[in-house]
Amino acid sequence: MSKIWSFVNDLKVKKNHKITMFMWLTTILYGLTGGLIWGLIGRLILPEITWLFCFIGYPAVFMGLFGGVIYLYNHEFI
């Protein structure tokens, strides 16, 4: 997450927009990572589309959204 924050922090926008962009980017990137894992492994073992939503949703919410909030609070960016 530190690489994502350093990328967003280098942009010349307001602090509130940086925080919003960071939260969106972490959520989207972790969701895409879960989708790629399902595409590589889960498609053979768990081929139903509901599993795709689980593989995308759980990492996006818990690691991306909640993890991003915890990262920002721990580093006192908020």
Side-chain angles (χ1 to χ4, degrees):
M1 287 199 191
S2 61
K3 289 186 181 187
I4 298 171
W5 177 252
S6 64
F7 169 74
V8 171
N9 198 27
D10 291 340
L11 300 174
K12 300 203 185 305
V13 293
K14 294 180 184 178
K15 184 178 179 181
N16 291 338
H17 292 173
K18 288 180 184 180
I19 292 171
T20 304
M21 288 172 57
F22 173 76
M23 295 304 298
W24 275 104
L25 280 175
T26 55
T27 304
I28 290 170
L29 288 176
Y30 278 107
L32 288 175
T33 303
L36 287 174
I37 291 172
W38 178 83
L40 296 174
I41 299 169
R43 189 147 202 172
L44 301 172
I45 301 169
L46 307 165
E48 294 89 18
I49 197 74
T50 55
W51 284 103
L52 172 64
F53 293 132
C54 291
F55 272 77
I56 290 175
Y58 283 112
V61 170
F62 291 111
M63 294 172 65
L65 187 64
F66 295 151
V69 169
I70 291 170
Y71 179 83
L72 289 174
Y73 275 119
N74 282 338
H75 292 86
E76 298 178 6
F77 295 128
I78 294 180

Coordinates of all heavy atoms in Angstrom, one line a residue:
M1 N 0.8 -1.2 0.0 CA 0.0 0.0 0.0 C 0.9 1.3 0.0 O 0.4 2.3 -0.4 CB -0.9 0.0 1.2 CG -2.0 -1.0 1.1 SD -3.3 -0.5 2.2 CE -4.3 -2.0 2.1
S2 N 2.1 1.1 0.5 CA 2.9 2.3 0.5 C 3.3 2.8 -0.9 O 3.4 4.0 -1.1 CB 4.2 2.0 1.3 OG 4.9 1.0 0.7
K3 N 3.4 1.9 -1.8 CA 3.7 2.3 -3.2 C 2.5 3.0 -3.8 O 2.7 3.9 -4.6 CB 4.1 1.1 -4.0 CG 5.4 0.5 -3.7 CD 5.8 -0.6 -4.6 CE 7.2 -1.1 -4.2 NZ 7.7 -2.1 -5.1
I4 N 1.3 2.5 -3.5 CA 0.1 3.2 -4.0 C 0.0 4.6 -3.4 O -0.3 5.5 -4.1 CB -1.2 2.3 -3.7 CG1 -1.1 0.9 -4.4 CG2 -2.4 3.1 -4.2 CD1 -2.2 0.0 -3.9
W5 N 0.3 4.7 -2.1 CA 0.2 6.0 -1.5 C 1.2 6.9 -2.0 O 1.0 8.1 -2.3 CB 0.3 5.9 0.0 CG 0.3 7.3 0.6 CD1 1.3 7.9 1.2 CD2 -0.9 8.2 0.7 NE1 0.9 9.2 1.6 CE2 -0.4 9.3 1.3 CE3 -2.2 8.1 0.3 CZ2 -1.3 10.4 1.5 CZ3 -3.0 9.2 0.5 CH2 -2.6 10.3 1.1
S6 N 2.4 6.4 -2.2 CA 3.5 7.3 -2.8 C 3.1 7.8 -4.2 O 3.4 8.9 -4.6 CB 4.8 6.7 -2.7 OG 4.9 5.5 -3.6
F7 N 2.5 6.9 -5.0 CA 2.0 7.3 -6.3 C 1.0 8.4 -6.2 O 1.1 9.4 -6.9 CB 1.5 6.1 -7.1 CG 0.8 6.4 -8.3 CD1 1.5 6.9 -9.5 CD2 -0.6 6.4 -8.4 CE1 0.8 7.2 -10.6 CE2 -1.3 6.7 -9.6 CZ -0.6 7.1 -10.7
V8 N 0.0 8.2 -5.4 CA -1.1 9.2 -5.2 C -0.6 10.5 -4.6 O -1.0 11.6 -5.0 CB -2.2 8.6 -4.4 CG1 -3.3 9.6 -4.1 CG2 -2.9 7.4 -5.2
N9 N 0.3 10.3 -3.7 CA 0.8 11.5 -2.9 C 1.7 12.4 -3.9 O 1.7 13.6 -3.6 CB 1.7 11.1 -1.7 CG 1.9 12.2 -0.8 OD1 1.0 13.1 -0.7 ND2 2.9 12.1 0.0
D10 N 2.3 11.9 -4.9 CA 3.1 12.7 -5.8 C 2.2 13.5 -6.8 O 2.7 14.4 -7.4 CB 4.0 11.8 -6.7 CG 5.1 11.2 -5.8 OD1 5.4 11.8 -4.7 OD2 5.7 10.2 -6.2
L11 N 0.9 13.2 -6.9 CA 0.0 14.0 -7.7 C -0.3 15.3 -7.1 O -0.3 15.5 -5.9 CB -1.3 13.2 -7.9 CG -1.2 11.8 -8.6 CD1 -2.5 11.1 -8.6 CD2 -0.6 11.9 -10.0
K12 N -0.5 16.3 -8.0 CA -0.7 17.7 -7.5 C -2.2 17.9 -7.4 O -2.8 18.6 -8.2 CB 0.0 18.7 -8.4 CG 1.4 18.5 -8.5 CD 2.1 19.7 -8.9 CE 3.6 19.5 -9.1 NZ 4.3 19.0 -8.0
V13 N -2.8 17.3 -6.4 CA -4.3 17.5 -6.1 C -4.4 17.8 -4.6 O -3.5 17.6 -3.8 CB -5.1 16.3 -6.6 CG1 -5.1 16.2 -8.1 CG2 -4.7 15.0 -5.9
K14 N -5.6 18.1 -4.2 CA -5.9 18.4 -2.8 C -5.8 17.1 -2.0 O -5.9 16.0 -2.5 CB -7.3 18.9 -2.6 CG -7.5 20.3 -3.3 CD -9.0 20.8 -3.0 CE -9.2 22.1 -3.7 NZ -10.6 22.5 -3.6
K15 N -5.6 17.3 -0.7 CA -5.4 16.2 0.2 C -6.6 15.3 0.3 O -6.5 14.0 0.3 CB -5.1 16.7 1.6 CG -4.7 15.5 2.6 CD -4.4 16.1 4.0 CE -4.1 15.0 4.9 NZ -3.8 15.4 6.3
N16 N -7.8 15.9 0.3 CA -9.0 15.0 0.3 C -9.2 14.2 -1.0 O -9.6 13.1 -0.9 CB -10.3 15.9 0.4 CG -10.3 16.6 1.8 OD1 -9.7 16.1 2.8 ND2 -11.1 17.7 1.9
H17 N -8.8 14.7 -2.1 CA -8.8 14.0 -3.3 C -7.8 12.9 -3.3 O -8.0 11.8 -3.9 CB -8.6 14.9 -4.5 CG -9.8 15.9 -4.7 ND1 -9.7 16.9 -5.6 CD2 -11.0 16.0 -4.1 CE1 -10.8 17.6 -5.6 NE2 -11.6 17.0 -4.7
K18 N -6.6 13.1 -2.7 CA -5.6 12.1 -2.6 C -6.1 10.9 -1.8 O -5.9 9.7 -2.2 CB -4.3 12.6 -2.0 CG -3.6 13.6 -2.9 CD -2.3 14.1 -2.2 CE -1.6 15.1 -3.0 NZ -0.4 15.6 -2.3
I19 N -6.8 11.2 -0.7 CA -7.3 10.1 0.1 C -8.4 9.3 -0.6 O -8.4 8.1 -0.6 CB -7.8 10.7 1.4 CG1 -6.6 11.2 2.3 CG2 -8.6 9.7 2.2 CD1 -7.0 12.0 3.5
T20 N -9.2 10.0 -1.3 CA -10.3 9.4 -2.1 C -9.7 8.5 -3.2 O -10.1 7.4 -3.4 CB -11.2 10.4 -2.7 OG1 -11.8 11.2 -1.6 CG2 -12.4 9.8 -3.4
M21 N -8.7 9.1 -3.9 CA -8.1 8.3 -5.0 C -7.4 7.1 -4.4 O -7.4 6.0 -5.0 CB -7.1 9.2 -5.8 CG -7.8 10.2 -6.6 SD -6.6 11.4 -7.4 CE -5.5 10.3 -8.2
F22 N -6.7 7.2 -3.3 CA -6.0 6.1 -2.7 C -7.0 5.0 -2.3 O -6.8 3.8 -2.5 CB -5.3 6.5 -1.4 CG -4.7 5.4 -0.6 CD1 -3.5 4.8 -1.1 CD2 -5.2 5.0 0.6 CE1 -2.9 3.8 -0.4 CE2 -4.7 4.0 1.3 CZ -3.5 3.4 0.8
M23 N -8.1 5.4 -1.7 CA -9.1 4.4 -1.3 C -9.7 3.6 -2.5 O -9.9 2.4 -2.5 CB -10.3 5.0 -0.5 CG -9.8 5.6 0.8 SD -9.0 4.4 1.9 CE -10.3 3.2 2.1
W24 N -10.0 4.4 -3.6 CA -10.5 3.7 -4.8 C -9.5 2.8 -5.4 O -9.8 1.7 -5.9 CB -11.0 4.8 -5.8 CG -12.3 5.3 -5.6 CD1 -12.7 6.5 -5.1 CD2 -13.6 4.6 -5.9 NE1 -14.1 6.6 -5.0 CE2 -14.6 5.5 -5.5 CE3 -13.9 3.4 -6.5 CZ2 -16.0 5.1 -5.7 CZ3 -15.2 3.1 -6.6 CH2 -16.2 3.9 -6.3
L25 N -8.3 3.3 -5.5 CA -7.2 2.5 -6.1 C -7.0 1.2 -5.4 O -6.8 0.1 -6.0 CB -5.9 3.2 -6.3 CG -5.8 4.2 -7.4 CD1 -4.6 5.0 -7.4 CD2 -5.9 3.4 -8.7
T26 N -6.9 1.2 -4.0 CA -6.7 0.0 -3.3 C -7.8 -1.0 -3.4 O -7.6 -2.2 -3.6 CB -6.4 0.3 -1.8 OG1 -7.5 1.1 -1.3 CG2 -5.1 1.0 -1.6
T27 N -9.0 -0.4 -3.4 CA -10.2 -1.3 -3.5 C -10.2 -2.0 -4.9 O -10.4 -3.2 -5.0 CB -11.5 -0.5 -3.3 OG1 -11.4 0.1 -2.0 CG2 -12.7 -1.4 -3.3
I28 N -10.0 -1.2 -5.9 CA -10.0 -1.8 -7.3 C -8.9 -2.8 -7.5 O -9.1 -3.8 -8.1 CB -10.0 -0.6 -8.3 CG1 -11.3 0.1 -8.3 CG2 -9.7 -1.2 -9.7 CD1 -11.3 1.4 -9.1
L29 N -7.7 -2.4 -7.0 CA -6.5 -3.3 -7.3 C -6.7 -4.6 -6.5 O -6.3 -5.7 -7.1 CB -5.2 -2.6 -6.9 CG -4.8 -1.5 -7.8 CD1 -3.6 -0.8 -7.3 CD2 -4.5 -2.0 -9.2
Y30 N -7.1 -4.6 -5.3 CA -7.3 -5.8 -4.5 C -8.5 -6.7 -5.1 O -8.4 -7.9 -5.2 CB -7.6 -5.6 -3.1 CG -6.3 -5.4 -2.3 CD1 -5.9 -4.1 -1.9 CD2 -5.4 -6.5 -2.1 CE1 -4.7 -4.0 -1.2 CE2 -4.2 -6.3 -1.4 CZ -3.9 -5.1 -1.0 OH -2.7 -4.9 -0.3
G31 N -9.5 -6.0 -5.7 CA -10.6 -6.7 -6.3 C -10.1 -7.4 -7.6 O -10.4 -8.5 -7.9
L32 N -9.3 -6.7 -8.4 CA -8.7 -7.2 -9.6 C -7.8 -8.4 -9.3 O -7.7 -9.4 -10.0 CB -8.0 -6.2 -10.4 CG -8.8 -5.2 -11.1 CD1 -8.0 -4.1 -11.7 CD2 -9.7 -5.8 -12.1
T33 N -7.0 -8.3 -8.2 CA -6.1 -9.4 -7.8 C -6.9 -10.6 -7.4 O -6.6 -11.7 -7.9 CB -5.3 -8.9 -6.6 OG1 -4.6 -7.8 -6.9 CG2 -4.3 -10.0 -6.2
G34 N -8.0 -10.5 -6.7 CA -8.9 -11.6 -6.4 C -9.5 -12.2 -7.7 O -9.6 -13.4 -7.8
G35 N -9.9 -11.3 -8.6 CA -10.4 -11.8 -9.9 C -9.4 -12.6 -10.7 O -9.7 -13.6 -11.3
L36 N -8.2 -12.2 -10.7 CA -7.1 -12.9 -11.4 C -6.8 -14.2 -10.7 O -6.6 -15.2 -11.4 CB -5.8 -12.0 -11.4 CG -5.8 -10.9 -12.3 CD1 -4.6 -10.0 -12.2 CD2 -6.0 -11.3 -13.8
I37 N -6.8 -14.3 -9.4 CA -6.6 -15.6 -8.7 C -7.7 -16.5 -9.1 O -7.5 -17.7 -9.3 CB -6.5 -15.3 -7.2 CG1 -5.2 -14.6 -6.9 CG2 -6.6 -16.7 -6.4 CD1 -5.1 -14.1 -5.4
W38 N -9.0 -16.0 -9.1 CA -10.1 -16.9 -9.5 C -9.9 -17.4 -10.9 O -10.2 -18.5 -11.3 CB -11.4 -16.2 -9.3 CG -12.6 -17.1 -9.8 CD1 -13.2 -18.0 -9.0 CD2 -13.2 -17.1 -11.0 NE1 -14.2 -18.6 -9.8 CE2 -14.2 -18.0 -11.0 CE3 -13.0 -16.3 -12.2 CZ2 -15.1 -18.3 -12.1 CZ3 -13.9 -16.6 -13.3 CH2 -14.9 -17.5 -13.2
G39 N -9.5 -16.5 -11.8 CA -9.3 -16.8 -13.2 C -8.2 -17.9 -13.4 O -8.3 -18.7 -14.3
L40 N -7.2 -17.8 -12.6 CA -6.1 -18.8 -12.7 C -6.4 -20.1 -12.1 O -6.1 -21.2 -12.6 CB -4.8 -18.2 -12.2 CG -4.3 -17.0 -12.9 CD1 -3.1 -16.4 -12.2 CD2 -3.9 -17.4 -14.4
I41 N -6.9 -20.1 -10.8 CA -7.0 -21.3 -10.0 C -8.5 -21.7 -9.9 O -8.9 -22.8 -10.1 CB -6.4 -21.1 -8.6 CG1 -4.9 -20.8 -8.8 CG2 -6.6 -22.3 -7.8 CD1 -4.3 -20.3 -7.5
G42 N -9.3 -20.8 -9.5 CA -10.7 -21.1 -9.2 C -11.6 -21.5 -10.3 O -12.6 -22.2 -10.1
R43 N -11.2 -21.1 -11.5 CA -12.0 -21.5 -12.7 C -12.1 -23.0 -12.9 O -13.1 -23.5 -13.3 CB -11.4 -20.8 -13.9 CG -12.3 -21.0 -15.1 CD -12.2 -19.8 -15.9 NE -13.4 -19.7 -16.7 CZ -13.7 -18.7 -17.4 NH1 -13.0 -17.7 -17.5 NH2 -14.9 -18.7 -18.1
L44 N -11.0 -23.7 -12.5 CA -11.0 -25.1 -12.7 C -11.7 -25.8 -11.5 O -12.4 -26.8 -11.7 CB -9.5 -25.6 -12.8 CG -8.7 -25.1 -14.0 CD1 -7.3 -25.5 -13.8 CD2 -9.3 -25.6 -15.3
I45 N -11.5 -25.3 -10.3 CA -12.0 -25.9 -9.1 C -13.4 -25.4 -8.8 O -14.3 -26.2 -8.4 CB -11.1 -25.6 -7.9 CG1 -9.7 -26.2 -8.3 CG2 -11.6 -26.3 -6.7 CD1 -8.6 -25.8 -7.3
L46 N -13.6 -24.1 -8.9 CA -14.9 -23.5 -8.5 C -15.4 -22.6 -9.7 O -15.3 -21.4 -9.7 CB -14.7 -22.5 -7.3 CG -14.0 -23.2 -6.1 CD1 -13.5 -22.1 -5.1 CD2 -15.0 -24.2 -5.4
P47 N -16.0 -23.3 -10.7 CA -16.4 -22.6 -11.9 C -17.6 -21.7 -11.9 O -17.8 -21.0 -12.8 CB -16.6 -23.7 -12.9 CG -17.0 -24.9 -12.1 CD -16.3 -24.7 -10.7
E48 N -18.4 -21.7 -10.8 CA -19.6 -20.9 -10.7 C -19.2 -19.4 -10.6 O -18.2 -19.0 -10.1 CB -20.5 -21.3 -9.5 CG -21.0 -22.7 -9.6 CD -20.1 -23.7 -9.0 OE1 -19.2 -23.3 -8.2 OE2 -20.2 -24.9 -9.3
I49 N -20.1 -18.6 -11.2 CA -19.9 -17.1 -11.2 C -20.0 -16.5 -9.8 O -19.4 -15.5 -9.5 CB -20.8 -16.5 -12.2 CG1 -20.4 -15.0 -12.6 CG2 -22.2 -16.4 -11.7 CD1 -19.2 -15.0 -13.4
T50 N -20.7 -17.2 -8.9 CA -20.8 -16.7 -7.5 C -19.5 -16.7 -6.8 O -19.2 -15.9 -6.0 CB -21.9 -17.5 -6.7 OG1 -21.5 -18.9 -6.8 CG2 -23.3 -17.3 -7.3
W51 N -18.7 -17.7 -7.2 CA -17.3 -17.7 -6.6 C -16.5 -16.6 -7.1 O -15.6 -16.1 -6.4 CB -16.6 -19.1 -6.9 CG -17.2 -20.2 -6.0 CD1 -18.1 -21.1 -6.4 CD2 -16.9 -20.4 -4.6 NE1 -18.3 -21.9 -5.3 CE2 -17.6 -21.5 -4.2 CE3 -16.1 -19.7 -3.7 CZ2 -17.6 -22.0 -2.9 CZ3 -16.1 -20.2 -2.4 CH2 -16.8 -21.3 -2.0
L52 N -16.7 -16.2 -8.3 CA -16.0 -15.0 -8.8 C -16.3 -13.8 -8.0 O -15.4 -13.0 -7.6 CB -16.3 -14.7 -10.3 CG -15.8 -13.4 -10.9 CD1 -14.3 -13.5 -10.9 CD2 -16.3 -13.2 -12.3
F53 N -17.6 -13.6 -7.7 CA -17.9 -12.4 -6.8 C -17.3 -12.5 -5.5 O -16.9 -11.5 -4.9 CB -19.5 -12.3 -6.7 CG -20.1 -12.0 -8.0 CD1 -21.2 -12.7 -8.5 CD2 -19.6 -10.9 -8.8 CE1 -21.8 -12.3 -9.7 CE2 -20.2 -10.6 -10.0 CZ -21.3 -11.3 -10.4
C54 N -17.2 -13.7 -4.9 CA -16.6 -13.9 -3.6 C -15.1 -13.6 -3.7 O -14.5 -12.9 -2.8 CB -16.8 -15.3 -3.1 SG -18.4 -15.7 -2.6
F55 N -14.4 -14.1 -4.8 CA -13.0 -13.8 -4.9 C -12.7 -12.3 -5.2 O -11.6 -11.9 -4.8 CB -12.4 -14.7 -6.1 CG -12.0 -16.0 -5.6 CD1 -12.9 -17.0 -5.4 CD2 -10.6 -16.3 -5.5 CE1 -12.5 -18.3 -5.0 CE2 -10.2 -17.6 -5.1 CZ -11.2 -18.6 -4.9
I56 N -13.6 -11.6 -5.8 CA -13.4 -10.2 -6.0 C -13.9 -9.4 -4.8 O -13.2 -8.5 -4.4 CB -14.2 -9.7 -7.3 CG1 -13.5 -10.3 -8.5 CG2 -14.2 -8.2 -7.3 CD1 -14.3 -10.0 -9.8
G57 N -15.0 -9.7 -4.2 CA -15.6 -8.9 -3.2 C -14.8 -8.9 -1.9 O -14.6 -7.8 -1.3
Y58 N -14.5 -10.1 -1.4 CA -13.8 -10.1 -0.1 C -12.5 -9.4 0.0 O -12.2 -8.6 0.9 CB -13.7 -11.6 0.4 CG -15.0 -12.2 0.9 CD1 -15.7 -13.2 0.2 CD2 -15.6 -11.6 2.1 CE1 -16.9 -13.7 0.7 CE2 -16.8 -12.1 2.6 CZ -17.4 -13.2 1.9 OH -18.6 -13.6 2.3
P59 N -11.6 -9.7 -1.0 CA -10.3 -8.9 -0.9 C -10.6 -7.4 -1.1 O -9.9 -6.6 -0.5 CB -9.5 -9.5 -2.0 CG -10.1 -10.7 -2.4 CD -11.5 -10.7 -2.0
A60 N -11.5 -7.0 -2.0 CA -11.7 -5.6 -2.2 C -12.2 -4.9 -1.0 O -11.8 -3.8 -0.7 CB -12.7 -5.4 -3.4
V61 N -13.2 -5.5 -0.3 CA -13.7 -4.9 0.9 C -12.8 -4.9 2.1 O -12.5 -3.9 2.7 CB -15.1 -5.5 1.3 CG1 -15.6 -5.0 2.6 CG2 -16.1 -5.2 0.2
F62 N -12.3 -6.1 2.4 CA -11.5 -6.3 3.6 C -10.1 -5.8 3.5 O -9.6 -5.1 4.4 CB -11.5 -7.7 4.1 CG -12.9 -8.1 4.6 CD1 -13.6 -9.0 3.9 CD2 -13.4 -7.6 5.8 CE1 -14.9 -9.4 4.4 CE2 -14.7 -7.9 6.2 CZ -15.4 -8.8 5.5
M63 N -9.4 -6.2 2.4 CA -8.0 -5.7 2.3 C -7.9 -4.3 1.6 O -7.1 -3.5 2.0 CB -7.3 -6.8 1.4 CG -7.1 -8.1 2.1 SD -6.5 -9.4 1.1 CE -4.8 -8.8 0.8
G64 N -8.8 -4.1 0.6 CA -8.7 -2.8 0.0 C -9.3 -1.7 0.7 O -8.6 -0.7 1.0
L65 N -10.5 -1.8 1.1 CA -11.3 -0.7 1.8 C -10.8 -0.6 3.2 O -10.3 0.5 3.6 CB -12.8 -0.9 1.6 CG -13.7 0.2 2.1 CD1 -13.4 1.5 1.3 CD2 -15.1 -0.2 2.1
F66 N -11.0 -1.6 4.0 CA -10.7 -1.6 5.4 C -9.2 -1.4 5.6 O -8.7 -0.7 6.5 CB -11.2 -2.8 6.2 CG -12.7 -2.8 6.2 CD1 -13.4 -4.0 6.3 CD2 -13.5 -1.7 6.2 CE1 -14.8 -4.1 6.3 CE2 -14.9 -1.7 6.2 CZ -15.5 -3.0 6.3
G67 N -8.4 -2.2 4.8 CA -7.0 -2.1 4.9 C -6.5 -0.7 4.6 O -5.5 -0.2 5.2
G68 N -7.1 -0.1 3.6 CA -6.7 1.3 3.2 C -7.0 2.3 4.3 O -6.2 3.2 4.6
V69 N -8.1 2.2 5.0 CA -8.5 3.1 6.1 C -7.5 2.9 7.2 O -7.0 3.9 7.8 CB -9.9 2.8 6.5 CG1 -10.2 3.5 7.8 CG2 -10.9 3.2 5.5
I70 N -7.2 1.6 7.6 CA -6.2 1.4 8.6 C -4.9 1.9 8.3 O -4.2 2.5 9.1 CB -6.2 -0.1 9.0 CG1 -7.5 -0.5 9.6 CG2 -5.0 -0.5 9.9 CD1 -7.7 -2.0 9.7
Y71 N -4.4 1.8 7.0 CA -3.2 2.3 6.6 C -3.1 3.8 6.8 O -2.1 4.4 7.3 CB -2.9 1.9 5.2 CG -1.6 2.4 4.6 CD1 -0.4 1.8 4.9 CD2 -1.5 3.6 3.9 CE1 0.8 2.3 4.4 CE2 -0.3 4.1 3.4 CZ 0.8 3.4 3.7 OH 2.0 3.9 3.2
L72 N -4.2 4.5 6.3 CA -4.2 5.9 6.4 C -4.2 6.4 7.9 O -3.5 7.4 8.3 CB -5.4 6.5 5.7 CG -5.3 6.4 4.2 CD1 -6.6 6.8 3.5 CD2 -4.2 7.2 3.6
Y73 N -4.9 5.7 8.7 CA -5.0 6.1 10.2 C -3.7 5.8 10.9 O -3.2 6.6 11.7 CB -6.1 5.4 10.9 CG -7.4 6.1 10.8 CD1 -8.5 5.5 10.2 CD2 -7.6 7.4 11.3 CE1 -9.7 6.1 10.1 CE2 -8.8 8.0 11.2 CZ -9.9 7.4 10.6 OH -11.1 8.0 10.5
N74 N -3.0 4.7 10.5 CA -1.7 4.4 11.2 C -0.6 5.4 10.8 O 0.3 5.6 11.5 CB -1.3 3.0 10.8 CG -2.0 2.0 11.7 OD1 -2.5 2.3 12.7 ND2 -2.1 0.7 11.2
H75 N -0.7 5.9 9.6 CA 0.3 6.8 9.1 C -0.1 8.3 9.2 O 0.5 9.2 8.7 CB 0.7 6.5 7.7 CG 1.4 5.2 7.5 ND1 0.7 4.0 7.4 CD2 2.7 4.9 7.6 CE1 1.6 3.0 7.4 NE2 2.8 3.5 7.5
E76 N -1.3 8.5 9.9 CA -1.8 9.8 10.2 C -1.9 10.7 9.0 O -1.6 11.9 9.0 CB -0.9 10.5 11.3 CG -0.8 9.8 12.6 CD 0.1 10.4 13.6 OE1 0.6 11.5 13.3 OE2 0.3 9.8 14.6
F77 N -2.4 10.1 7.9 CA -2.7 10.9 6.7 C -4.1 11.5 6.8 O -4.5 12.4 6.1 CB -2.6 10.1 5.5 CG -1.2 9.6 5.2 CD1 -1.0 8.3 5.0 CD2 -0.2 10.5 5.2 CE1 0.3 7.8 4.8 CE2 1.1 10.1 5.0 CZ 1.4 8.7 4.8
I78 N -5.0 11.0 7.7 CA -6.3 11.5 7.8 C -6.4 12.4 9.0 O -5.9 12.2 10.0 CB -7.3 10.3 8.0 CG1 -7.4 9.5 6.7 CG2 -8.7 10.9 8.3 CD1 -8.3 8.4 6.8

